[in-house]
Amino acid sequence: MKVHQKLSLAVSISALSLFGLLAAGSANAEPGITSNTIVIGQSAGFTGTAAEEVKQATAGAQLYFDIVNKQGGVFGRKIVLESLDDGFEPKRTVENTRKLLNEKNAFALFLYRGTPTTESILGAINDAKVPLIAPVSGATSLHEPMQHYLFNVRSKYRDEVGTAIEQLSGMGLQRYAVLVSNDSFGNDALEGLKQAIKKYKLPEPVVANYERNTVAVEGAVKKIFDAKPQAVLMICTAKPCAAFIKQYREAGGQQQLITLSNVSSQVFLQSLGKDARGLGMTQVFPNPRSSSTQISKEFMTALKTRSELSDSYPTLEGYISAKILVEGLRRAGNKPTRESLVSGLEGMGGYDIGGMSLKYGPNSRDGLNFIELTVIGKDGYVLR
């Protein structure tokens, strides 16, 4: 064999060996981690009945990520958020999650929206051993039993319902009707209502269902109006909630109305016009405009450079959720793995997020424990 043939063969063998080493190294690398980026995946209903709240929460998260990225990222890696629209439909959430993990190589999942949608991928995240941080749902199923790879941020729906009933019964209002989404979100919150009714020894409420991801509330309006309750609790997403409120007021229903925190966007309130005034609403985050809460002050300062963003509760939720994720990434170290992220988040028990503390630990994924009842003023903004 000629010398140049030997050299050529040697180079080819070396190249093949190097390619094999690179391939092996690539196979062993943690998904979504490069020398300068961390890929985070999100599936949520950018269309559907909760679209506006999804867009605002995502914008709030991106606001915080942009701040971190401008400061050099996390150990020199910038955070890249890959967001896919699932239309608020569980089947599409499953498909998107598969795509995020297999095609986008997401290191972690983040800010999924909804109870049925999030429940649909619990098996997948456990099989893939990938963390999901800050699902926008207060479902008990996401807390009990504790999921190793799932880290909640917001409080439970059942606790929100309990707070609302405690306030209403304290005002002497005892006969209730409830508008409820016909899905696992509605069923979970309804269970919280049953517990509160039993606790305060109140009459059984009138229950009116509507089909999820629709605004078909006409039947519920009639059933609740005919029942003549003293107060109406609404367990629904923004568009059907708005449709119910308008139709109920037009029919002459003047009773106290209360929603849960999942509809607390400024767009929702503005869509109600004069019907927003006096609306009760539970909240699981502090008032974004509060000057007495450190995280709200930090948030409002950050918004000064992004005047196009809403100073709403969903935007603040996204901002806080992103802050928690980033701190978890920092604690995961400069060679992060999914398990080191889990460990980093677990170690954040008691971590102060500007006046609120996290309830994380080896046996807890509960996140924050904050609930207050607010009332909407004549200008469409929260009074308290």
Side-chain angles (χ1 to χ4, degrees):
M1 184 181 292
K2 295 181 180 180
V3 175
H4 73 273
Q5 289 178 319
K6 291 181 179 180
L7 288 174
S8 178
L9 179 61
V11 170
S12 298
I13 293 172
S14 298
L16 287 170
S17 300
L18 179 60
F19 177 80
L21 288 172
L22 288 173
S26 176
N28 292 328
E30 199 72 4
I33 300 295
T34 71
S35 60
N36 54 15
T37 61
I38 301 174
V39 178
I40 303 297
Q42 177 195 20
S43 177
F46 290 88
T47 57
T49 58
E52 192 56 44
E53 290 74 22
V54 167
K55 292 173 185 176
Q56 290 181 24
T58 304
Q62 191 63 60
L63 173 65
Y64 190 80
F65 291 151
D66 287 346
I67 292 170
V68 172
N69 287 343
K70 287 178 181 178
Q71 296 172 348
V74 180
F75 293 107
R77 298 183 179 96
K78 292 187 177 181
I79 298 170
V80 177
L81 180 63
E82 292 279 0
S83 299
L84 300 178
D85 176 27
D86 58 31
F88 206 48
E89 293 293 347
K91 183 178 179 180
R92 290 175 62 184
T93 308
V94 172
E95 294 169 352
N96 283 351
T97 301
R98 187 180 299 114
K99 184 174 183 179
L100 288 167
L101 295 179
N102 296 338
E103 298 179 25
K104 303 294 185 179
N105 289 320
F107 175 64
L109 304 175
F110 173 70
L111 213 64
Y112 275 45
R113 170 81 189 207
T115 300
T117 46
T118 305
E119 287 175 337
S120 72
I121 54 92
L122 292 181
I125 67 172
N126 285 326
D127 290 344
K129 298 182 179 181
V130 56
L132 168 61
I133 297 92
V136 185
S137 168
T140 304
S141 61
L142 305 184
H143 293 258
E144 302 170 7
M146 190 194 85
Q147 305 281 335
H148 179 73
Y149 292 101
L150 190 151
F151 289 83
N152 295 286
V153 172
R154 57 167 38 232
S155 298
K156 299 175 187 176
Y157 290 135
R158 294 185 187 183
D159 293 339
E160 288 190 61
V161 172
T163 297
I165 297 304
E166 179 183 17
Q167 178 68 28
L168 290 171
S169 62
M171 295 165 58
L173 304 178
Q174 298 188 333
R175 290 184 294 104
Y176 311 126
V178 56
L179 171 70
V180 59
S181 176
N182 189 20
D183 60 9
S184 55
F185 156 55
N187 293 337
D188 182 68
L190 195 59
E191 182 60 34
L193 177 61
K194 292 176 181 177
Q195 293 172 2
I197 292 295
K198 182 178 181 180
K199 178 179 179 180
Y200 296 104
K201 300 178 181 179
L202 300 169
E204 287 297 314
V206 172
V207 178
N209 296 94
Y210 77 94
E211 288 303 313
R212 78 175 305 273
N213 213 10
T214 75
V215 294
V217 297
E218 295 82 3
V221 170
K222 185 179 187 307
K223 183 176 182 179
I224 291 175
F225 182 80
D226 291 345
K228 295 180 172 56
Q230 292 177 306
V232 181
L233 179 65
M234 294 175 288
I235 302 168
C236 44
T237 50
K239 289 183 179 179
C241 265
F244 176 87
I245 292 169
K246 289 180 178 180
Q247 293 179 36
Y248 188 71
R249 292 304 192 210
E250 287 174 359
Q254 297 302 315
Q255 287 83 355
Q256 176 66 58
L257 303 178
I258 295 183
T259 74
L260 300 187
S261 65
N262 61 304
V263 301
S264 58
S265 74
Q266 205 57 42
V267 171
F268 166 69
L269 295 175
Q270 290 170 354
S271 74
L272 296 176
K274 61 181 177 59
D275 292 330
R277 185 175 184 178
L279 178 67
M281 185 178 288
T282 54
Q283 306 290 358
V284 293
F285 295 95
N287 190 326
R289 296 182 165 196
S290 173
S291 59
S292 60
T293 306
Q294 184 58 43
I295 187 61
S296 297
K297 291 168 65 178
E298 176 187 326
F299 171 66
M300 292 302 291
T301 299
L303 276 182
K304 289 180 180 179
T305 61
R306 299 286 300 278
S307 59
E308 78 278 10
L309 299 185
S310 171
D311 58 350
S312 68
Y313 282 90
T315 312
L316 176 61
E317 178 171 4
Y319 184 91
I320 289 174
S321 298
K323 186 170 186 174
I324 291 168
L325 171 58
V326 168
E327 180 61 25
L329 289 170
R330 286 174 175 146
R331 294 179 181 224
N334 64 358
K335 295 182 180 179
T337 64
R338 288 169 172 170
E339 289 299 335
S340 72
L341 175 57
V342 169
S343 298
L345 289 163
E346 279 186 347
M348 289 174 63
Y351 179 74
D352 180 31
I353 306 173
M356 298 185 295
S357 297
L358 278 173
K359 294 176 64 180
Y360 285 163
N363 300 310
S364 177
R365 302 288 190 270
D366 285 343
L368 301 174
N369 184 21
F370 179 94
I371 300 174
E372 67 177 0
L373 186 61
T374 60
V375 177
I376 309 304
K378 63 181 180 179
D379 59 353
Y381 284 92
V382 170
L383 290 177
R384 173 189 175 276

